[in-house]
């Protein structure tokens, strides 16, 4: 589904257009701002190496136009910092792992060895899906938790029955 509100946000050519857009989103309230956040989340999710700088500018524009997203929802009090942290983690992954090494199957694992809880594993991912999951969860890690992004070299899989 096309997100016209986000497409409009990305292509605001003048300060006057930005001010008019701000008014429209404030008039729409939660749903108008939510479409901007959905668009930002999607471009972070699909970002490639060449996209990072533009996305950083887009988040900065969002922060400038909507400095207090808490007015739309209390849960968005820190949304700009969260998006920036997710993008920074994705940028770290993209700059650490060379494009030639991104093929194959990847997985993301999270655990806290100091507490009794399940290990969380997202197996069978493409590099870009795994990079996004790593980037999404990395800023949320609690003390003693860890997250691993790893490429699968060999797999033996059986199905019961």
């Amino acid at each position: 589904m096309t997100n016209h509100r986000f497409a409009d946000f990305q292509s605001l050519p003048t300060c006057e257009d930005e001010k008019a857009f701000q008014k429209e989103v404030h008039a729409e309230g939660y749903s108008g701002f939510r479409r901007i956040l959905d668009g930002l989340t999607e471009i972070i999710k699909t970002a490639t190496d060449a996209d990072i700088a533009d996305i950083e500018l887009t988040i900065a524009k969002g922060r400038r136009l909507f400095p207090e997203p808490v007015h739309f929802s209390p849960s968005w009090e820190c949304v700009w910092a969260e998006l920036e942290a997710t993008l920074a983690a994705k940028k770290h992954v993209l700059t650490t792992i060379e494009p030639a090494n991104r093929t194959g199957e990847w997985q993301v694992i999270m655990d806290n060895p100091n507490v009794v809880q399940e290990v969380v594993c997202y197996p069978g991912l493409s590099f870009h899906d795994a990079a996004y999951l790593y980037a999404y969860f990395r800023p949320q890690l609690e003390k003693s938790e860890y997250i691993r992004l790893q490429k699968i070299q060999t797999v033996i899989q059986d199905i019961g029955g």
Side-chain angles (χ1 to χ4, degrees), residues 7-14 17-19 21-22 61 65:
D8 293 344
F9 169 71
Q10 286 185 293
S11 64
L12 296 169
T14 67
D17 292 323
E18 288 181 352
K19 288 178 183 173
F21 183 81
Q22 276 178 308
K61 183 196 315 187
L65 293 180

Side-chain angles (χ1 to χ4, degrees), residues 21 33 43 92:
F21 183 81
F33 188 70
I43 64 170
H92 172 71

